[in-house]
Amino acid sequence: MAVELVRSVCPHDCPDTCAIITTVENGEVTSIAGDRDHPITRGYLCTKARFYVPRITHADRILYPQARVGAKGGGGRFERISWDEALAEIAGRFTQILAESGGEAILPYSYSGTLGLVHNNGMDRRFFYRLGATDLLRTICTAAGEAGYRVTMGKVIGPDPEGVDQADLIVLWGSNVASTGPHLLPMIKRARQRGATLVCIDPRPTRSSRLADHHIAIRPGTDACFALGVMRILIEEGLYDREFVARNTVGFEALAEHVQAYTPAYVEAETGVSPETLLWFARLYGRHPRSVVRLGWGMQRYSNGGMAVRTVACLPALTGAWRHPGGGVLISNSEAFPINRGLLHRPELAPGPVRSVNMVALGQALTELTDPPIRALYVYNSNPAAVAPDQEVVRRGLSRPDLFTVVHEIFPTDTVDFADIVLPATTQFEQTDIHSMMGYYLNLNRPATAPKGEARSNHDTFCALADALGFEEACFRDSQEDMVRQAMQDTPHWSHASYEELVARGSVRAQTPTTPYVPFADGVFPTPSGKIELYSERMAAEGLPGLPTYTPLAERVERAAAAPYPLRLLSPASHLMTSSSHGNFAALEPNERPWLEIGSADAAARGLADGDPVRVWNDRGECELVVKLVPGLQPGVVVTEKARWPKLSPDGRNVNATTSQRRSDLGGGATFHENLVQVAASAP
Ligand SMILES: Nc1nc2c(c(=O)[nH]1)N[C@H]1C(S)=C(S)[C@@H](COP(=O)(O)OP(=O)(O)OC[C@H]3O[C@@H](n4cnc5c(=O)[nH]c(N)nc54)[C@H](O)[C@@H]3O)O[C@H]1N2
Ligand SMILES: Nc1nc2c(c(=O)[nH]1)N[C@H]1C(S)=C(S)[C@@H](COP(=O)(O)OP(=O)(O)OC[C@H]3O[C@@H](n4cnc5c(=O)[nH]c(N)nc54)[C@H](O)[C@@H]3O)O[C@H]1N2
Ligand code: SF4
Ligand SMILES: [Mo]
């Protein structure tokens, strides 16, 4: 028997980007394991990894191109067609639309099916630029927080994750790493063995809060208020690093004045956190400058989310946490050591300026946009019928008989049900790709097995479509390997890396003077002023608050008994899925149901017991869930998971039937957690 070990990378939307060793026997993948030698993976893969091998040969996989016959949206059937027929149909429809309405009548829709640079950041971008298609603003996940973080720090650059174990204080702030980025846990454990304290700031109990020394159950959407209250105490009690502040920040005097409004009483009224807890946390934070705040994306999925991140990002500037390895605020390192995106994307292929559509507002784009209306939608790496907000409107758009929809997928998702043409996609084990891991590493994925059926990768499909449309530019003939090389070409931090070295070692680390690297040690910050901006002139020039400021949520809870929607429904990441990916596997797990976590008082007020089916609704829509009593959950807050497969749910919908297309204050991000609903027992 021929046994081979191949290096793979987990492609799913997870900061950990595990380095995987794949065992291949007689050409088929038989098992996977985390790479023991990788300093971050350290041989561990999370619980979701058990789905990865069965996915490859699963009976439900889409293996051939298909064309829809009959109704859109689940009622129709699909018939097998050849790749040549599929490509000719797509090229023909696109050519007609280009001639009649222009490229802007075509909308790509993609996000995080794979995070690979080749299959999510390469030929696809070239293709849609060349077509002159409407530009998709990919805002559904991190846009608000990244925009907010940039205001304070200039770029999305944070501490080196490999320094986290040197911290004396670790704060998990709106971040459930035990589910959503578990490779931080061993680092946290090492820090705690040295005596570090772990605090979790999250409205609900989570797997992560259960590991923490202290859990601060903040009211959703009020983090900026809490952080400003902390700053007030730090300044009042002199618990800040005067020298660091003087040398590296702008706006301290104005901030010191401004935070006077954030009294403990006001903070308690807004956040629900008592003055004692506020004081305790502020002193803990102020007395432990060797600290890291691991900021998750949960707290920025609100109308005030950009400012919330901008505000929390000011905290380490006061204590000087940036001086220490691993210290500061760690939200992402996506801009720390950039790869050559320009060479991958080739924006110069565009025929001219084009309009943009924010992906959060897909529903509006498909139902309201004119001049030209969207006539063709091309979906890859995404499952909008499950993940996009305001699901009823999205479905209305996807159901339009005059919309030509292509969906390139591995599994028959809800979105596939709306396709005119379905294309079969490869899994990660059938393609070459390169992945950024936590900003600090590039990991190479090599094909372990031949594509199943007639599956084709995103890269190969866009090359074939470019050919069918007669695009003559040489860049449409680049191979997957060419793309890997181009990603590293002419980049300051990756010039030491080569394709050959990646093949030999699987992974390379960015060139940094030290490990862990301490960013900003030179005192230069990539903001307009060159310093950490406690006050931002640019924000003020845009008519926004120049100082970090708390603005209550737009979708406000009315505390009156007659309020129609008195509960805030959070829908964060589940433990067993990655967004909607693996939803078809998770649904088969014992005891797995679409849960609604609810606290004792809110359940009692509605006569609900554990396991009861409930209806959850607001003006936008409704979905059916099953009660899971969580006695420790604060009143007024209910929780479900972000993206179960609607078609595997009791009423064919998921939580996104209730979420809104409202955009955040900065960055045009999604506001999934802002969602107000009512809950009642389902009619029997
Ligand atoms: N297992 C698993 N892992 C995943 C994913 C998955 O679906 N499943 N998804 C991946 C993706 S796409 C992403 S973006 C990341 C997301 O992972 P995270 O960054 O952890 O983000 P969320 O899951 O949205 O929310 C994290 C926490 O924020 C809390 N939260 C909600 N509102 C607030 C608030 O106002 N303030 C505070 N302080 N906390 C709040 C939620 O209760 C939740 O526990 O995880 C990735 N990893
Ligand atoms: N209510 C609520 N909704 C949310 C969120 C929330 O917090 N609450 N979070 C949002 C967040 S953070 C995110 S990132 C989005 C994620 O939303 P999406 O980006 O849509 O991610 P997935 O749900 O994982 O769907 C990805 C799809 O791509 C397919 N795929 C995988 N690999 C490939 C490939 O190589 N080629 C092709 N063509 N397809 C492939 C997978 O089979 C899967 O169906 O969801 C958002 N939705
Ligand atoms: S989902 Fe995250 S932790 Fe799990 S295997 Fe993939 S990269 Fe690793
Ligand atoms: Mo995300």
Side-chain angles (χ1 to χ4, degrees), residues 182-237:
H183 289 79
L184 212 63
L185 295 182
M187 305 182 201
I188 293 173
K189 193 171 166 193
R190 288 198 293 278
R192 292 176 95 184
Q193 279 163 350
R194 292 182 19 258
T197 305
L198 180 66
V199 179
C200 184
I201 304 179
D202 197 303
R204 62 175 183 134
T206 63
R207 283 174 192 258
S208 305
S209 74
R210 285 191 265 274
L211 299 175
D213 298 300
H214 305 275
H215 175 201
I216 300 177
I218 195 167
R219 207 170 274 146
T222 65
D223 300 271
C225 187
F226 181 72
L228 285 155
V230 171
M231 289 184 220
R232 183 180 190 269
I233 295 168
L234 293 178
I235 294 170
E236 195 172 86
E237 301 202 348

Side-chain angles (χ1 to χ4, degrees), residues 12-13 55 109-114 119 140-142 297 301 359 379-384 386-389 408-411 413 425-428 431 456-458 571-573 578-581 641-643 645 655-656 659 672-673:
H12 298 293
D13 193 343
R55 280 175 106 230
Y109 200 89
S110 73
Y111 200 67
S112 63
T114 164
H119 298 288
I140 203 163
C141 178
T142 61
W297 303 108
R301 307 197 200 286
M359 72 188 298
V379 182
Y380 62 105
N381 282 343
S382 186
N383 184 10
V387 306
H408 191 189
E409 250 300 346
I410 300 171
F411 286 108
T413 61
T426 41
T427 67
Q428 179 77 336
Q431 60 199 18
R456 282 194 196 174
S457 68
N458 294 341
S571 49
T578 305
S579 300
S580 76
S581 290
E641 303 132 320
K642 66 173 149 182
W645 278 30
V655 60
N656 280 321
T659 56
F672 290 110
H673 300 332

